[in-house]
Amino acid sequence: MSVPLFDAATPRAPLREGLRSAIDRVLESERFVLGPEVASFERELAAYCGASQAVGVANGTDAITITLRAMGAGPGDEVIVPSFTFYASVEAIVHTGATPVFCDIDADTYCITPETVRAALTPRTKAVIAVHLFGNVAPVGEIQALGVPVLEDAAQAMGSRSAAGRPGSLGVAATFSFYPSKNLACFGDGGAIVTNDDAIAEEARILRFHGSRDKIDYEQVGYNSRLDELQAAILRVQLPHLDQWSDGRMQAARNYEEAGLAELASLPKPVAGASPAWHLYVVSHPDVKRLEGALAAAQVGYKPYYRTPVHRQAPMLEWGAGVDLPATEHAARTHLAIPMSPGLTRAQADEVVAAARAAS
Ligand SMILES: Cc1ncc(COP(=O)(O)O)c(C=O)c1O
């Protein structure tokens, strides 16, 4: 592959020694689940996000389900969510017993807006899930001004910023995934909930541990959804480097702009006030099959992520059938992720743009 879709190994290479000694430290400690590494990572992550609390869980999907339950969502409630997102954003709602209500996105930012949310509001709306898709930062403040609490699905937005702060400090709570392809990644599954709301954090801590504070008395039917010490130790080594990697992602986006990509495809647009640490760099092209062919011929990595939006996936038809989301359908038809990594050079951007030119 001349330019890979993503490259996490190169930026991580200088940290190998630090990672090995963190793994050794856990091995020596004989503490493997919810120990001091997790507690330290939770403090460091909360501080990074500008929030008071972080709760480590097993993955980003559980993080959403647990947060929704901690926000009180359950049967009879509605939760507004975009359909142009990873399936898990919606699946997590169904697991709480609440009803997903799909809303549209802005075609340029791929994020939900106050207008698309307003169109889906009802008296039963309990919460909105604002997905910070591809690393963009949805307009959380404006959506909350509608009078409805926002859960930020920030699985793809670790390292991004907005004028109002970082994901994790914008809504009622935010959820993150540390799946290996993410901007901040562990070596397996991992996730976290970040919030300034002590009651939500406390409830999330109980829910991640079978609904118990002490594994003696049980207050809720909860989950076994804990972050491992090994994963927390691995994340702690990398967190101090995240901003540098995010700057690299922002520079990579500038490299594409300077290489002239905007003449060949529609580039992703930051939401007003947002500085996205692009997790995926997703362009839009009217003849996307042709663009795919041109990139494949030049051995440039690419991937369509959400060709079938969530509301049209078979298990979601109960809530999605007949829902009309024109910007979502347009994005689903025309989007394509092209290479994005913290170290993507101007020469690589030129190569991608030269390959894309063959499709114009
Ligand atoms: C937008 C979004 N939400 C939720 C998730 C779920 O995270 P995980 O895979 O850690 O469960 C992901 C991860 O892929 C995601 O991209």
Side-chain angles (χ1 to χ4, degrees), residues 113-274:
T113 70
E115 292 70 37
T116 65
V117 170
R118 194 181 288 114
L121 276 175
T122 79
R124 289 168 61 201
T125 305
K126 186 75 177 177
V128 174
I129 297 184
V131 182
H132 297 317
L133 201 69
F134 305 142
N136 216 338
V137 186
V140 174
E142 285 104 309
I143 294 168
Q144 288 204 139
L146 299 173
V148 60
V150 168
L151 183 166
E152 304 171 65
D153 178 350
Q156 300 185 7
M158 183 58 88
S160 295
R161 287 188 295 270
S162 82
R166 286 195 187 280
S169 67
L170 307 174
V172 167
T175 58
F176 293 94
S177 165
F178 306 122
Y179 183 77
S181 62
K182 295 294 193 275
N183 290 7
L184 179 68
C186 60
F187 296 172
D189 278 308
I193 298 152
V194 174
T195 182
N196 277 312
D197 185 318
D198 290 347
I200 288 179
E202 187 183 358
E203 189 69 4
R205 285 180 203 284
I206 294 167
L207 285 169
R208 77 174 168 182
F209 196 75
H210 301 287
S212 175
R213 292 168 201 266
D214 52 13
K215 228 176 172 182
I216 296 169
D217 293 312
Y218 296 84
E219 302 169 27
Q220 305 260 10
V221 175
Y223 308 86
N224 175 1
S225 184
R226 304 175 295 219
L227 187 63
D228 294 344
E229 285 287 280
L230 265 177
Q231 303 302 355
I234 286 162
L235 290 163
R236 290 184 69 204
V237 174
Q238 297 176 87
L239 183 59
H241 302 271
L242 178 65
D243 280 347
Q244 187 195 330
W245 295 342
S246 301
D247 289 346
R249 292 175 181 278
M250 292 176 197
Q251 180 59 49
R254 284 194 293 276
N255 289 343
Y256 278 133
E257 286 164 27
E258 287 162 15
L261 185 59
E263 296 158 22
L264 308 172
S266 302
L267 307 188
K269 190 172 149 209
V271 171

